[in-house]
Amino acid sequence: MIQIKLIYKILLTIDATILFLFLYLVKNKIWIPYCGKISVVIYLGIILIFTFICLQSKVVLKKGSIEGNIIDISLANDSYMANYLGYFFVALSLSKDWVILGVVYAIVFVFTYKSQSLFYNPLFLLFGYNFYYIHDYCNAQNNTHIKTCTSNIL
């Protein structure tokens, strides 16, 4: 089960940072050969399919629950959008240099993976998912859980 969880976390990290690569490719007009600007549509299609696969792959994980006295549940989408926009600005500021892209992407990837709370991807909203802060009674300010759910709780 640990290997499946590790793979799932890596998939979520890739999914959370994939728009970073998309922006870099489009900004620098790096097109798929013989496709030209239609590459943008192909890139977006690949990203949407990958996001859908990541969301559907949750079925291999055990269902979780939060034990304790929950005192507040609030939407977290707005607070994570600011973090996510940071990826966009970094991607837009990079020059057309694959080495710099690789180094910067690796740094962003590692920090996103290690933070585990930055798996946020605005594309989840398109699929009906939201991120929530869940505060419980035991030290409510320091005990915040992030959950991703649709209208049907996962």
Side-chain angles (χ1 to χ4, degrees), residues 13-79:
T13 305
I14 292 169
D15 196 49
T17 57
I18 200 165
L19 285 175
F20 174 96
L21 297 175
F22 167 76
L23 285 174
Y24 176 84
L25 293 171
V26 172
K27 178 205 170 247
N28 289 303
K29 297 180 177 149
I30 300 171
W31 310 130
I32 297 169
Y34 309 108
C35 292
K37 291 181 181 177
I38 300 209
S39 299
V40 173
V41 176
I42 296 169
Y43 294 152
L44 282 174
I46 291 169
I47 291 168
L48 287 172
I49 290 168
F50 187 77
T51 299
F52 180 76
I53 290 169
C54 284
L55 290 171
Q56 295 308 308
S57 64
K58 72 185 179 312
V59 298
V60 300
L61 300 173
K62 291 190 304 187
K63 293 205 184 252
S65 65
I66 297 175
E67 304 296 326
N69 298 321
I70 296 173
I71 59 171
D72 185 41
I73 297 175
S74 59
L75 202 57
N77 292 335
D78 295 340
S79 62

Side-chain angles (χ1 to χ4, degrees), residues 49-136:
I49 290 168
F50 187 77
T51 299
F52 180 76
I53 290 169
C54 284
L55 290 171
Q56 295 308 308
S57 64
K58 72 185 179 312
V59 298
V60 300
L61 300 173
K62 291 190 304 187
K63 293 205 184 252
S65 65
I66 297 175
E67 304 296 326
N69 298 321
I70 296 173
I71 59 171
D72 185 41
I73 297 175
S74 59
L75 202 57
N77 292 335
D78 295 340
S79 62
Y80 279 93
M81 190 57 85
N83 289 336
Y84 201 79
L85 287 175
Y87 299 157
F88 283 31
F89 296 126
V90 169
L92 291 173
S93 68
L94 293 176
S95 63
K96 194 174 180 178
D97 184 345
W98 290 100
V99 174
I100 292 176
L101 170 69
V103 169
V104 172
Y105 183 78
I107 291 168
V108 169
F109 185 91
V110 168
F111 284 127
T112 302
Y113 178 83
K114 286 295 196 179
S115 75
Q116 295 183 23
S117 63
L118 295 179
F119 290 148
Y120 178 78
N121 183 342
L123 294 176
F124 289 172
L125 298 172
L126 295 176
F127 291 102
Y129 286 78
N130 289 296
F131 278 70
Y132 294 93
Y133 289 119
I134 301 173
H135 304 273
D136 65 17

